[in-house]
Amino acid sequence: MAGLASLSRLPMRDAWAIQAGQAASPGFRFADVTAQAGIQFQHNSGAYGGKFLPETLGAGCAFLDYDRDGWQDILLINGMDWPGHKKRRSTLRLYHNNGNGTFTDVTSRAGLDVELYGLGVAVGDYNNDGFPDILVTCVGQNRLFHNTGKGTFVDVTNASGLGKREGFSTSAVWVDYDRDGFLDLFVCNYVKWSPEHDVFCSLDGKHKSYCTPEAYRGQTCWLFRNRGNGTFEDVTAATGIFDSSSKSLGVALLDDDQDGWPDLLVANDTQPNKLYRNQRNGKFKDVAVEAGLAFSNEGKARAGMGVDAADFENSGLPGVAITNFDNEMVGLYRLSGKEFEDIAAPSGVGPASRNSLGFGCAFLDVNLDGWLDFAVANGHIDETVRNIRGNVGYAQPPQLFLNQRKGSFRDIGAEVGGGFEQPKVGRGLAYADFDRDGDVDLLLTTNNGPAYLYRNDQVSGNRSIRFHLVGTKSNRDAIGAKVRIFAGGSTQLRMVKGGSSYLSQSELPLTFGLEKRDRIDRVVIDWPSGRVEEYKNLFAGRCYECVEGERISPQDGY
Amino acid sequence: MTGAAWAVYARGVSRPSPPDRSPTLGLLLGLIITLSAVLAYSAYLTWQVSGLRKLQTELVDRNRKDSLQLLRIQNDLNLLAVAMRDMVSNDEPYPLTAWSAQFQRIRNDLDDAMRLEAGFSATSRTPEQSAFLTSSFTQFWDAVDRVFALAQEGREKEAREQIQLSLQERQAALSTAVARLLVQNSESEEQAGQRIVAIYDRVRRQVYVFLSATLLAILLTGLSLIRWNRRLFARMAELSERRSELAQKLIATQESTLRYVSRELHDEFGQVLTAVGSMLRRAATHVPESSALRTELQEVREVTQSTLDKIRSLSQALHPVMLDEAGLESTLDWYIPTVERQTGIAISYEKQGTPFPVDGAAGVHIYRVLQEALNNVARHSGATQAWVRLRFLPNALELEVEDHGAGFTERGFSERPARQGIGLVAMRERSELMGGKIVFSRPPEGGTRLHLTVPREKAESYVKEDHSVAGR
């Protein structure tokens, strides 16, 4: 009766919505708080009719706590008008989290009011000064912005040795591949393209249309080793990363052979995916074919876009998801022995994603039940696709697959509210607990359109525990650290990682769903330095700061 | 039984001449032939299909797998070509050695593809072709190693020249060789496809022939069965008619014989004995009362009277004259108490409805049915009580005889008792003679219930038909 009484105070529609939500049992609701939070962003692809390939890719987004106030801020990447077709000025945007559900645009104040054709973003404290730095991948020259620690950024691209490298870079990830305590930089490149060398493609023989990547030569990914003095050295060739046939869009960090050394999974468009396994001697070896990740089950190189890796089965082993073109289905892989097995079809993710073109994707425990769910941003690259394929639209609904355990997922995108299921030309996707209520919220970007911030509101009463790791011997962001929690007979494993998804980066702190539990038995942290630490009797409802080799201390709330 | 009756009986029960030869043997033979044909054809089809499978496995599938590996090889060669183009274009900020890992990956894949391809192509490739392919790849990789060795030594320009002069040419030659093998595989597959089509055509033709033969056999068997069935049914109908005719004649003969004997006994012996009795009484008047002769005459007269009574009783039993003179209803009124007295069975006799005169012949049949039924009650049922119901309905005359004794069988009761005595047969025949229906059932209390229904018009007009007992 108390429940009824409380419902009676709500408007009837909301009451029904809550009841319906509870009946469907996703355990949470989304609220679109973009406008309420003060995020007014419009992506500029620069499209003017020239049909340049980069216009189809969109741009990414990132959650970062650039001022270390404990609240996750938002960075949105933007494109710009093409030379010769300049009509407006568009820059990336940095939104400062005010801690009360609102954000303030601090782009200019932070020195990021820079016009560039940006695509992706990777956030990492490459100089271990405690403040996250930003790499923005671009068409042309990528930019590295050093965080001064005073709320401003300085472009150190040339000083760091990353300058004079024109390319068509997409996703990037900070990773300490040689475990020397400094974050190195892996950058994906798509194809050899520039406005001057654009190729004419046409569907009707008369009008120009967007070319598929087959029309262009591939471009190798880059790996830059951090010398530890603020400069980088190109080790692409020396490490065996070099591959001029790659057309890479997404990269994820994982430890697929569980040897403690970070491996890299690269999603390639119309080319075989690459799994660069760390040889622990400063070299990588591509083992994607042997691992079963290079091709689809039919032996076809799919159009890989976004990628993420996580233990979605709580098996202690990494699983992998790669978003692909429409009619190719998302690839959802579980590690079975030494090979990955594509379980997209039996899991329910494959059939549900057959008619959508996926970009950004992420494993996240959206209902805090202790099992990683899976979110996908969808949207086509061809505005006229519906004329060719009636059941596929340009704007497509994003999807949220609820993990039903035992390798089964169910798309609940249409049940979570907040207009989440409205079709969008989705591209980037990132998550963070921006309101510090213990659950992860979603940020989604669209091509030539707005960004969307979805606040996650738990209605089931599930709780979580969060960990913010600070490396001392390891890189300060603790990227590559593996955290296992043990609670009530169940185990969950997460890795601190940047990159993943598509052109985007989620927050670095880890969130573990605990259902209704009020504590965990213990947590074990494998630091990238090799150090292993264990702590016991930690409580739900808190975020713990773990400083390598020093302490674990609860913060005030999440 | 009269001689005529015996003659009729003899004609009725004499074994009929066998119709034609039994179809069983022919049908069995047909079944065996059909089954043998199906088995033989199944074996033949299995053999054909296994041959087809073998052909597909050995030739087509292997060819397809081989082609897939050749395509994989060709794809790797294309990747090598693209990589060499990039190496030559010199627009990367990396030394040529940067491509070594890429080459090594492609080489590993090529080696794997070549190994698999060699397994699939074992039967279709000449040793010369295999040797040429292996040798070409060996030379290509040897040249690759030399190029990277030059690059390693920092002689990049020389290495690029080698790529253009040697590697790209060798790659093109390898591509051509692989393409030729793919064409060869395609032609081979086409030939195999034609052979498979030929086999399918042959099998299809044979299936049509077999199906036609099977259909013909089924048609002939069916027609034969229909013919035999028709003859069988006709024979059964004829036999049934003969049996019915025989039974009717038997009944008619029996009735006329009984009537004759009854009349003779009543008229001849009865009058003689009556006369003897009168004469004895008269003779006794001439003898003194105390005479021993008079006593003996009296005894003889009593014996004579007793004999007369018995003859009258026997005459009545054989054919109650009362039936002809007073009708069925009165005869039953006399008969049932008589049976009660003779058998000691208590019989409840009920009459319902408005009586109508019953034809004499029908009366005889109904009387005989009742007589047989009560006989059965007395002899077989073990019951001490019976019920007789005579119903004069507007459209029919019904007779019901019921007892709660043993019933017809111990295991169950059917409308038609499993073992029918001659009495039951006669009852049924009599019923049919009257156009009626007789039903035997088991009352809820057990025992037997006989239910005879005779249409009223038959009971009344029976005499007008040619089935009359009198007419026989």
Side-chain angles (χ1 to χ4, degrees):
Chain A
M1 289 305 288
L4 284 176
S6 61
L7 281 177
S8 67
R9 289 194 295 272
L10 293 169
M12 188 56 76
R13 195 180 56 185
D14 293 345
W16 279 116
I18 289 171
Q19 285 182 323
Q22 286 169 344
S25 301
F28 68 98
R29 302 282 294 170
F30 273 170
D32 181 353
V33 295
T34 315
Q36 178 185 328
I39 294 174
Q40 296 171 330
F41 176 78
Q42 177 72 28
H43 174 249
N44 177 20
S45 71
Y48 68 94
K51 302 285 182 182
F52 287 161
L53 184 59
E55 295 166 9
T56 62
L57 296 187
C61 55
F63 279 110
L64 73 165
D65 182 11
Y66 79 96
D67 56 353
R68 286 178 56 184
D69 64 352
W71 295 85
Q72 292 291 327
D73 310 302
I74 288 174
L75 179 66
L76 296 166
I77 309 301
N78 209 345
M80 62 181 283
D81 288 340
W82 295 108
H85 300 276
K86 200 97 172 90
K87 288 182 179 172
R88 55 179 165 160
R89 187 167 193 276
S90 54
T91 70
L92 58 165
R93 291 292 178 89
L94 179 64
Y95 288 93
H96 174 256
N97 190 334
N98 301 323
N100 59 1
T102 66
F103 290 79
T104 303
D105 186 343
V106 294
T107 312
S108 297
R109 196 191 312 164
L112 292 177
D113 188 14
V114 182
E115 203 170 23
L116 42 79
Y117 202 102
L119 292 174
V121 57
V123 179
D125 182 8
Y126 73 90
N127 57 355
N128 290 339
D129 65 353
F131 289 93
D133 310 297
I134 300 169
L135 177 94
V136 180
T137 61
C138 300
V139 175
Q141 175 63 56
N142 297 330
R143 303 291 188 89
L144 177 62
F145 295 99
H146 171 242
N147 191 334
T148 63
K150 298 171 184 172
T152 61
F153 290 85
V154 176
D155 186 339
V156 294
T157 309
N158 289 325
S160 66
L162 296 179
K164 298 178 183 172
R165 297 299 297 265
E166 297 278 324
F168 187 169
S169 300
T170 51
S171 294
V173 62
W174 293 100
V175 53
D176 183 11
Y177 81 93
D178 52 2
R179 292 171 58 176
D180 64 353
F182 289 95
L183 289 175
D184 311 298
L185 179 63
F186 184 94
V187 180
C188 294
N189 284 302
Y190 193 30
V191 292
K192 287 186 187 297
W193 181 91
S194 67
E196 299 77 30
H197 296 104
D198 185 53
V199 176
F200 182 89
C201 297
S202 176
L203 293 173
D204 57 9
K206 296 176 185 170
H207 303 95
K208 189 173 190 296
S209 63
Y210 290 115
C211 292
T212 56
E214 287 99 330
Y216 298 98
R217 290 164 59 187
Q219 192 175 10
T220 182
C221 298
W222 294 327
L223 179 59
F224 298 99
R225 180 177 165 274
N226 189 337
R227 293 193 183 101
N229 59 2
T231 66
F232 293 86
E233 127 186 62
D234 185 345
V235 291
T236 308
T239 53
I241 294 292
F242 181 85
D243 187 325
S244 57
S245 67
S246 284
K247 299 174 181 179
S248 310
L249 287 175
V251 58
L253 175 63
L254 75 167
D255 182 10
D256 91 289
D257 53 354
Q258 296 104 53
D259 64 350
W261 291 77
D263 309 309
L264 292 164
L265 175 60
V266 178
N268 281 328
D269 190 359
T270 68
Q271 289 291 318
N273 300 317
K274 306 283 184 199
L275 175 57
Y276 290 110
R277 186 170 287 160
N278 198 322
Q279 301 299 294
R280 311 176 214 171
N281 58 0
K283 292 185 183 301
F284 285 90
K285 184 181 178 189
D286 175 19
V287 295
V289 174
E290 297 94 303
L293 290 172
F295 303 98
S296 70
N297 281 343
E298 294 76 33
K300 183 188 166 209
R302 291 191 277 194
M305 308 288 181
V307 58
D308 196 13
D311 178 16
F312 63 84
E313 292 191 304
N314 286 345
S315 62
L317 301 171
V320 164
I322 302 175
T323 55
N324 295 303
F325 215 74
D326 69 272
N327 212 28
E328 290 185 336
M329 303 197 296
V330 167
L332 183 68
Y333 301 85
R334 72 148 68 98
L335 192 54
S336 178
K338 290 186 175 178
E339 289 182 23
F340 283 91
E341 172 193 9
D342 191 347
I343 59 164
S347 72
V349 171
S353 61
R354 186 179 287 284
N355 289 327
S356 53
L357 200 174
F359 278 96
C361 64
F363 287 110
L364 70 166
D365 186 0
V366 73
N367 60 349
L368 303 180
D369 66 347
W371 293 80
L372 286 172
D373 312 300
F374 181 58
V376 189
N378 295 313
H380 214 276
I381 56 166
D382 183 359
E383 290 170 345
T384 63
V385 64
R386 198 171 284 286
N387 300 335
I388 305 160
R389 298 189 58 199
N391 58 341
V392 178
Y394 180 51
Q396 300 175 351
Q399 289 170 304
L400 185 56
F401 293 97
L402 197 68
N403 191 334
Q404 297 182 297
R405 309 176 192 188
K406 297 182 180 173
S408 171
F409 287 83
R410 180 171 68 93
D411 181 9
I412 57 162
E415 302 169 26
V416 298
F420 180 76
E421 80 286 6
Q422 293 300 315
K424 305 168 182 69
V425 189
R427 294 293 187 262
L429 182 76
Y431 62 84
D433 181 15
F434 83 85
D435 54 355
R436 293 179 63 175
D437 63 351
D439 55 32
V440 284
D441 312 293
L442 271 186
L443 181 62
L444 189 149
T445 64
T446 62
N447 190 25
N448 226 20
Y452 295 88
L453 179 63
Y454 292 102
R455 191 185 65 216
N456 183 346
D457 296 326
Q458 296 292 311
V459 295
S460 65
N462 282 354
R463 309 176 74 192
S464 68
I465 186 167
R466 283 166 55 83
F467 295 95
H468 176 207
L469 273 59
V470 178
T472 52
K473 189 178 177 190
S474 306
N475 68 83
R476 187 177 171 95
D477 281 340
I479 287 174
K482 286 189 274 190
V483 180
R484 282 185 183 80
I485 67 156
F486 301 82
S490 65
T491 308
Q492 296 180 50
L493 167 67
R494 305 269 195 279
M495 178 186 269
V496 179
K497 60 186 168 65
S500 287
S501 189
Y502 169 77
L503 308 177
S504 304
Q505 174 159 334
S506 299
E507 65 173 352
L508 294 178
L510 302 174
T511 303
F512 293 85
L514 297 176
E515 292 186 303
K516 305 287 191 298
R517 291 190 184 88
D518 58 359
R519 65 169 63 202
I520 63 170
D521 303 327
R522 60 193 174 105
V523 60
V524 177
I525 304 170
D526 292 336
W527 293 91
S529 63
R531 184 183 179 87
V532 179
E533 293 174 3
E534 179 174 334
Y535 300 98
K536 294 183 177 174
N537 291 324
L538 305 178
F539 293 92
R542 288 192 178 170
C543 180
Y544 287 87
E545 185 179 70
C546 315
V547 181
E548 182 182 11
E550 294 179 11
R551 65 175 191 280
I552 185 167
S553 53
Q555 295 180 321
D556 186 17
Y558 285 109
Chain B
M1 190 175 287
T2 64
W6 274 116
V8 168
Y9 176 78
R11 195 172 69 239
V13 300
S14 65
R15 196 174 181 80
S17 59
D20 285 328
R21 198 158 44 94
S22 164
T24 312
L25 192 63
L27 288 173
L28 276 175
L29 195 63
L31 185 65
I32 289 167
I33 291 171
T34 309
L35 284 176
S36 304
V38 169
L39 284 174
Y41 192 69
S42 301
Y44 172 75
L45 266 187
T46 308
W47 176 66
Q48 286 283 348
V49 169
S50 65
L52 205 59
R53 188 181 296 128
K54 195 177 169 191
L55 185 68
Q56 278 187 321
T57 308
E58 286 191 353
L59 212 65
V60 181
D61 289 353
R62 286 177 78 92
N63 227 339
R64 196 167 293 136
K65 287 176 183 169
D66 188 49
S67 293
L68 282 174
Q69 293 306 322
L70 285 173
L71 285 170
R72 184 178 166 193
I73 292 167
Q74 205 169 47
N75 183 54
D76 284 337
L77 287 170
N78 288 339
L79 290 175
L80 286 171
V82 170
M84 286 190 288
R85 179 201 61 195
D86 292 343
M87 291 165 86
V88 171
S89 68
N90 198 17
D91 59 355
E92 291 282 359
Y94 301 106
L96 286 179
T97 50
W99 273 269
S100 61
Q102 197 170 332
F103 266 66
Q104 190 55 48
R105 269 199 301 276
I106 299 170
R107 184 173 189 169
N108 290 343
D109 195 63
L110 262 174
D111 288 346
D112 187 51
M114 289 289 290
R115 184 181 54 77
L116 291 171
E117 200 273 340
F120 294 130
S121 67
T123 54
S124 61
R125 190 76 38 82
T126 63
E128 291 77 19
Q129 284 176 315
S130 301
F132 173 76
L133 205 61
T134 311
S135 148
S136 299
F137 270 107
T138 307
Q139 289 173 30
F140 175 79
W141 289 119
D142 184 52
V144 167
D145 291 342
R146 275 186 277 113
V147 165
F148 279 117
L150 286 172
Q152 194 74 39
E153 292 167 11
R155 295 153 68 184
E156 295 246 332
K157 189 178 174 213
E158 212 173 321
R160 283 197 174 84
E161 283 172 3
Q162 281 298 312
I163 292 171
Q164 286 174 304
L165 288 172
S166 171
L167 275 189
Q168 287 182 327
E169 290 306 314
R170 287 177 190 280
Q171 183 275 338
L174 276 168
S175 269
T176 308
V178 171
R180 206 164 42 235
L181 292 175
L182 274 167
V183 170
Q184 185 182 318
N185 270 8
S186 175
E187 286 169 353
S188 173
E189 202 164 321
E190 200 175 325
Q191 286 169 2
Q194 285 169 356
R195 284 172 61 187
I196 288 168
V197 168
I199 292 175
Y200 274 122
D201 285 346
R202 192 165 67 239
V203 169
R204 188 172 54 191
R205 275 196 303 276
Q206 284 155 356
V207 164
Y208 287 153
V209 169
F210 177 76
L211 277 178
S212 305
T214 308
L215 281 174
L216 188 65
I218 290 170
L219 186 68
L220 289 175
T221 310
L223 286 173
S224 172
L225 273 176
I226 290 167
R227 179 169 159 267
W228 278 104
N229 273 344
R230 288 181 63 181
R231 292 179 67 175
L232 207 60
F233 278 117
R235 194 74 189 157
M236 281 174 66
E238 186 191 332
L239 283 174
S240 176
E241 197 179 333
R242 278 194 199 176
R243 185 191 59 81
S244 183
E245 189 185 337
L246 172 66
Q248 289 167 15
K249 283 180 177 172
L250 274 173
I251 287 166
T253 306
Q254 183 190 29
E255 283 304 326
S256 75
T257 306
L258 290 175
R259 186 192 297 256
Y260 171 77
V261 172
S262 168
R263 191 171 294 139
E264 285 298 308
L265 283 174
H266 186 271
D267 294 352
E268 294 299 324
F269 291 93
Q271 285 188 15
V272 169
L273 287 174
T274 305
V276 168
S278 298
M279 288 165 70
L280 285 172
R281 190 169 57 250
R282 204 164 47 244
T285 56
H286 302 295
V287 180
E289 284 187 4
S290 59
S291 167
L293 180 60
R294 185 165 183 161
T295 306
E296 286 175 3
L297 282 172
Q298 181 62 29
E299 286 174 359
V300 172
R301 198 171 65 85
E302 285 172 1
V303 169
T304 304
Q305 185 60 44
S306 169
T307 305
L308 180 61
D309 290 342
K310 283 179 181 170
I311 282 176
R312 278 181 178 158
S313 176
L314 181 60
S315 168
Q316 198 70 9
L318 288 173
H319 181 86
V321 181
M322 197 182 293
L323 263 176
D324 302 332
E325 295 169 352
L328 175 68
E329 199 182 341
S330 303
T331 305
L332 296 192
D333 290 343
W334 158 80
Y335 176 66
I336 287 168
T338 305
V339 173
E340 266 189 314
R341 277 196 310 277
Q342 288 172 349
T343 61
I345 295 172
I347 300 175
S348 301
Y349 176 45
E350 299 170 22
K351 277 191 286 188
Q352 294 173 10
T354 309
F356 50 79
V358 178
D359 174 79
V364 171
H365 288 310
I366 293 167
Y367 173 77
R368 292 292 182 210
V369 168
L370 176 66
Q371 196 176 28
E372 181 63 30
L374 290 176
N375 259 341
N376 284 339
V377 172
R379 286 161 57 190
H380 304 300
S381 73
T384 57
Q385 193 174 6
W387 290 263
V388 176
R389 301 176 192 101
L390 186 67
R391 300 190 187 99
F392 291 94
L393 303 178
N395 298 319
L397 176 65
E398 283 185 359
L399 173 69
E400 203 169 81
V401 182
E402 179 178 329
D403 70 76
H404 297 164
F408 274 111
T409 66
E410 289 180 7
R411 284 182 297 177
F413 194 93
S414 63
E415 187 181 325
R416 182 182 284 267
R419 293 182 60 194
Q420 293 187 354
I422 190 72
L424 294 181
V425 174
M427 282 195 276
R428 200 173 294 283
E429 288 300 330
R430 287 180 188 280
S431 161
E432 284 176 13
L433 277 172
M434 292 184 286
K437 189 180 176 189
I438 193 162
V439 174
F440 297 93
S441 61
R442 177 185 292 280
E445 301 84 353
T448 307
R449 179 187 291 145
L450 175 150
H451 188 99
L452 172 68
T453 309
V454 182
R456 178 167 178 168
E457 69 271 16
K458 295 284 183 183
E460 287 185 314
S461 63
Y462 186 65
V463 70
K464 298 168 191 167
E465 295 188 9
D466 195 29
H467 297 111
S468 68
V469 173
R472 301 268 165 155

